Amino acid sequence: IKFFNHTRSLSHLEFSPFLQLFIFLLLVFFSTVLFLMIGYVTAIALYGMETVTLIFSGADFTDPAPIGALKVLQLTQHLGLFVAPPLAFGYFLTRKPLHYLNLDIYPKITSLLVAGLCMLSLLPFINWAAEINSKLIFPDFLSPLMNWMKEKEESAGRISELFIKADTVPQLAVNLIIIAIIPAIGEE
């Protein structure tokens, strides 16, 4: 396997695809760990150690403090897993990271419209798949697994409802940043 190609200059090495993948996976791992540590420290500083431990103990989440701590952890996880690694990778490999990541190119309006129409046209299929999933029945010997799965799905649904609940405009803005804007930036 050829790792380096010195075709440009000695100050800028061109890495093989294998080495690029390896470097990117290392960046993803270390970035995720670093940002999760930052998230835990921030959540503990803002909400206290007891509140952060409630998140992992299967608490009822009737108190809004665990939801706030969960939002901090969600934000730092998105940043560490989806945003920071590609930016660091682009910066590490080229002199023009924005160009390498195609962030200097704006999408055409027709591309945006087609993408929006595709998403809307998939909604009936998604609803149909959810309906089939809700009617799924396991054999009797798998009923403990089915009960566990339904319990976890209901718990995740309750947490999701509390997570997206916004009574004020600032809460709505925070939710939009955490749920929509940061993941969208990271995915692109």
Side-chain angles (χ1 to χ4, degrees):
I1 297 175
K2 187 175 181 181
F3 287 108
F4 298 105
N5 183 3
H6 296 280
T7 57
R8 289 193 195 171
S9 70
L10 292 176
S11 65
H12 183 76
L13 299 175
E14 189 173 307
F15 297 100
S16 71
F18 175 76
L19 188 56
Q20 287 182 22
L21 177 64
F22 181 72
I23 291 169
F24 183 72
L25 291 176
L26 281 177
L27 285 171
V28 168
F29 175 76
F30 286 114
S31 174
T32 302
V33 170
L34 175 68
F35 275 80
L36 281 177
M37 288 177 13
I38 291 169
Y40 282 117
V41 169
T42 305
I44 289 169
L46 293 175
Y47 298 99
M49 184 66 164
E50 299 80 22
T51 302
V52 174
T53 56
L54 277 175
I55 293 171
F56 302 104
S57 67
D60 188 19
F61 292 108
T62 53
D63 181 22
I67 297 299
L70 194 61
K71 287 181 181 184
V72 168
L73 293 174
Q74 183 76 20
L75 175 65
T76 56
Q77 178 188 3
H78 276 304
L79 290 173
L81 187 61
F82 298 117
V83 177
L87 292 176
F89 184 71
Y91 182 77
F92 180 71
L93 287 183
T94 69
R95 292 181 187 155
K96 298 178 182 178
L98 295 179
H99 179 70
Y100 180 78
L101 298 170
N102 289 328
L103 295 176
D104 58 349
I105 300 171
Y106 297 102
K108 295 178 182 175
I109 192 72
T110 55
S111 298
L112 295 174
L113 290 173
V114 168
L117 288 173
C118 286
M119 290 182 349
L120 287 174
S121 66
L122 286 174
L123 286 176
F125 174 74
I126 293 170
N127 290 335
W128 173 75
E131 184 68 25
I132 288 177
N133 185 37
S134 69
K135 294 180 180 181
L136 186 65
I137 298 174
F138 284 76
D140 288 339
F141 72 93
L142 290 176
S143 62
L145 176 65
M146 183 177 75
N147 293 336
W148 176 82
M149 288 171 63
K150 284 188 178 188
E151 178 184 313
K152 292 299 176 187
E153 188 174 343
E154 289 171 6
S155 173
R158 284 192 305 273
I159 292 171
S160 295
E161 286 177 15
L162 291 170
F163 194 90
I164 62 173
K165 181 181 176 191
D167 296 328
T168 65
V169 172
Q171 288 176 343
L172 178 63
V174 167
N175 283 351
L176 286 174
I177 290 169
I178 293 172
I179 297 170
I181 295 172
I182 297 295
I185 291 170
E187 287 179 14
E188 294 306 318

